[in-house]
Amino acid sequence: MWKSRVFSLAVVLACLFGFSCKVGLGEAVDTVPPTVTITYPPAGAVVRDAFVLAGDCDDDTGVSSVDIYYERTGTYATEKAMLATVNVGAGEKRWSLTINPNEQDVKDGPYVFYAVAKDTQGRTSGTYTQSFEVDNTAPVMILTKPTSFGSDNPKAYGRSISIEGTYAEATENRIDKLVVTFYNEDGTKVTGLSANDTTFNDITDMSNANPLIIAKLDTSGSADPLVQQRDNIYRKLYGTNDFTQGAKDFYFTVTA
């Protein structure tokens, strides 16, 4: 019995004083799921034509793939559906997918895109979402007021100039940007007005009940940016602060 104890003690001491002792724990267990993000397009963007959907991914054992899902939201909402699986190379921490709306049935409208990563052990990440719009169709616009270019009886306005009409636009029937370009009677552009000065954003209605005011004289000294914009256009069109000099003829084009 005593010899056996000495031998056991010798083994313990050998481990304590620097000799190699192996302990078997089996294969490493993957307990951490991968991570994934969508970094492009940015949230709220409007994309046109073929575009790249891209993001980051990471995992301690390596990411093998990223599954992409999508759904159209808003008026013409669709159910969430699988779009594609992106294979990720060994050691890679970026993923990307080129989307061609014509080939992959991504119609105009607002969308939510989803990304889910899978690591080499089969574990999956949480779902990352990004919302943006796809718009490849120009709006169709019909103006009912004022009358068309070259008319012998142009629409007469006082101290407020507005346009009325109807339009069709696939992205929630909203015009993101409308640019008005003004011309003098001789066809030359009105000076002092840049495209930025005469750009109106987020148009949702320009009907007879709610015409879009594009120029309006303001004498109140309002600090409202839209009121100031319209007042600046009106004064540049008239060319003077003496508004008793009678009527002046102008033409303008509208680009949506």
Side-chain angles (χ1 to χ4, degrees):
M1 289 294 292
W2 184 81
K3 288 184 179 180
S4 176
R5 289 174 183 168
V6 172
F7 179 76
S8 298
L9 178 62
V11 172
V12 173
L13 290 176
C15 290
L16 291 176
F17 287 101
F19 292 95
S20 175
C21 296
K22 296 182 178 179
V23 179
L25 295 178
E27 294 185 2
V29 178
D30 181 19
T31 60
V32 180
T35 59
V36 66
T37 63
I38 299 173
T39 58
Y40 189 86
V46 178
V47 296
R48 295 177 174 85
D49 302 320
F51 64 94
V52 174
L53 187 72
D56 299 319
C57 56
D58 196 11
D59 184 70
D60 56 347
T61 67
V63 175
S64 62
S65 63
V66 175
D67 289 335
I68 305 301
Y69 301 83
Y70 72 123
E71 65 177 329
R72 191 179 183 186
T73 60
T75 304
Y76 304 102
T78 59
E79 293 185 0
K80 181 179 177 181
M82 180 76 171
L83 179 63
T85 295
V86 181
N87 293 320
V88 180
E92 293 292 328
K93 295 187 177 183
R94 288 283 295 171
W95 63 270
S96 65
L97 173 68
T98 298
I99 298 174
N100 188 322
N102 295 325
E103 296 177 358
Q104 292 165 287
D105 194 30
V106 180
K107 297 180 174 64
D108 287 1
Y111 283 87
V112 178
F113 280 79
Y114 305 83
V116 178
K118 181 183 294 184
D119 68 14
T120 57
Q121 303 300 311
R123 291 182 62 87
T124 57
S125 69
T127 301
Y128 191 95
T129 65
Q130 191 85 300
S131 300
F132 53 88
E133 290 190 20
V134 176
D135 185 5
N136 287 303
T137 306
V140 177
M141 178 181 294
I142 300 175
L143 291 183
T144 55
K145 289 183 181 179
T147 50
S148 62
F149 179 86
S151 172
D152 292 331
N153 297 295
K155 169 71 175 177
Y157 290 95
R159 295 193 172 191
S160 178
I161 304 172
S162 61
I163 57 178
E164 300 173 17
T166 59
Y167 61 86
E169 168 56 29
T171 55
E172 299 300 285
N173 208 36
R174 174 181 62 84
I175 295 178
D176 181 58
K177 182 170 69 174
L178 185 146
V179 181
V180 184
T181 305
F182 292 92
Y183 298 88
N184 296 302
E185 190 175 8
D186 62 4
T188 60
K189 280 188 179 181
V190 173
T191 59
L193 289 174
S194 67
N196 187 59
D197 294 328
T198 59
T199 295
F200 298 87
N201 302 103
D202 236 5
I203 310 301
T204 57
D205 186 16
M206 46 189 289
S207 64
N208 177 263
N210 189 31
L212 175 64
I213 299 173
I214 57 176
K216 184 176 182 179
L217 181 65
D218 175 59
T219 57
S220 69
S222 172
D224 185 289
L226 183 57
V227 172
Q228 292 180 342
Q229 178 189 17
R230 292 164 171 167
D231 179 67
N232 176 58
I233 294 173
Y234 191 94
R235 292 177 186 274
K236 292 291 176 61
L237 288 176
Y238 208 78
T240 175
N241 287 330
D242 180 4
F243 301 107
T244 63
Q245 295 188 15
K248 292 188 176 183
D249 291 339
F250 295 97
Y251 303 99
F252 60 83
T253 59
V254 176
T255 304

